[in-house]
Amino acid sequence: MAELVYRPVIGAAKTLFKAWDLKIDCKGSENIPRSGGAVLVSNHISYLDFIFDGLAALPQKRLVRFMAKESVFRHKISGPLMRGMKHIPVDRKQGETAYAHALDSLRSGEIIGVFPEATISQSFTLKQFKSGAARLAQEAGVPLIPMALWGTQRLWTKGHPRNFKRSHIPITIRVGEPVEAPKDQYAGAITRRLREACQELLEAAQRAYPVRPKGPDDTWWMPAHLGGTAPTPAEVKAAEAG
């Protein structure tokens, strides 16, 4: 029954992408398994990232069930859609419930989507990864699939207005080779390897990105270390603490 909701939503998203004239460059989808469970792990720079992560799995004819904060499921519009697509609500006070739900889904052969940074990175660099994705993969006996997005922050991100105009924004998606999660290894070590893989993919996506800021007023979406005016990780941390 869930796919009665999921597939029309995919169709609607593709229609919107066409209306916005997005230039989507996706490479590496063949690294997503055609069958069986897997944990898809991505950087997080936009409110729309889960849509583009899911898009990368479509060439393999797979649908991704994302772990998302519980408040999204309470919204009158997004809530019924999220539940209908069998995504997984995460209540940070009761994280074990979401973990058990995700584990059951993996064992039944589903792909679970996880953002291990847990929140949008306002510096557009990789934050530290939480170890939940690695622990899920270990316990379920499935691979981790690293991926990276670039350009999605230009559509809608934290602290900036939405840009849903027909503005020809490029979106670059890179999916990497599976990272194994042996049960006899420390989850922290697997998480470090996973983060390194995502970092390499992010840098590859940034190198492949076809445009640069148009001028001084358009540098907000570039990280500071690449010459942009996005806040540094230290500045973000100081603002959150202050």
Side-chain angles (χ1 to χ4, degrees):
M1 291 296 291
E3 302 352 314
L4 295 177
V5 176
Y6 210 137
R7 295 195 185 283
V9 169
I10 291 171
K14 287 182 174 180
T15 299
L16 283 174
F17 296 162
K18 188 173 183 179
W20 296 340
D21 196 31
L22 301 184
K23 309 299 183 184
I24 300 174
D25 169 22
C26 180
K27 288 185 172 60
S29 289
E30 67 276 6
N31 290 312
I32 297 172
R34 280 193 172 270
S35 63
V39 181
L40 192 67
V41 176
S42 173
N43 66 321
H44 199 10
I45 53 176
S46 164
Y47 291 115
L48 303 178
D49 287 341
F50 72 97
I51 299 176
F52 293 99
D53 285 340
L55 189 70
L58 292 182
Q60 297 294 85
K61 304 187 186 308
R62 300 303 302 272
L63 300 176
V64 183
R65 317 299 177 180
F66 286 93
M67 301 183 75
K69 60 184 180 180
E70 192 264 343
S71 60
V72 178
F73 291 77
R74 294 198 307 266
H75 190 276
K76 63 180 180 180
I77 296 175
S78 63
L81 292 174
M82 295 294 281
R83 288 189 294 273
M85 290 185 283
K86 239 176 13 177
H87 296 314
I88 300 171
V90 179
D91 183 344
R92 290 178 182 174
K93 294 178 182 178
Q94 297 178 319
E96 65 277 2
T97 301
Y99 185 92
H101 186 168
L103 190 57
D104 286 345
S105 296
L106 288 168
R107 286 172 170 164
S108 69
E110 298 274 14
I111 293 181
I112 298 299
V114 176
F115 296 105
E117 297 168 280
T119 186
I120 288 174
S121 170
Q122 293 179 268
S123 67
F124 308 133
T125 61
L126 278 190
K127 298 161 67 74
Q128 289 303 308
F129 279 18
K130 297 184 181 298
S131 63
R135 290 187 288 109
L136 276 171
Q138 282 182 300
E139 199 166 345
V142 302
L144 294 149
I145 311 296
M147 66 179 299
L149 304 169
W150 192 245
T152 61
Q153 74 273 32
R154 299 178 65 195
L155 291 173
W156 189 17
T157 193
K158 193 172 183 179
H160 294 275
R162 290 172 291 184
N163 178 13
F164 293 166
K165 297 179 292 185
R166 188 177 173 84
S167 47
H168 323 293
I169 290 175
I171 304 294
T172 303
I173 306 170
R174 293 292 181 266
V175 185
E177 295 181 356
V179 174
E180 297 303 321
K183 293 183 179 180
D184 61 351
Q185 290 188 11
Y186 177 51
I190 297 170
T191 301
R192 283 192 292 275
R193 291 203 306 274
L194 179 65
R195 188 180 182 280
E196 288 169 2
C198 287
Q199 179 65 40
E200 289 178 5
L201 291 166
L202 177 58
E203 291 173 4
Q206 289 168 337
R207 287 193 300 271
Y209 201 66
V211 301
R212 292 292 180 267
K214 297 175 183 176
D217 295 333
D218 189 41
T219 57
W220 65 269
W221 55 271
M222 288 287 281
H225 74 277
L226 292 181
T229 52
T232 65
E235 289 169 341
V236 172
K237 189 174 181 178
E240 290 173 345

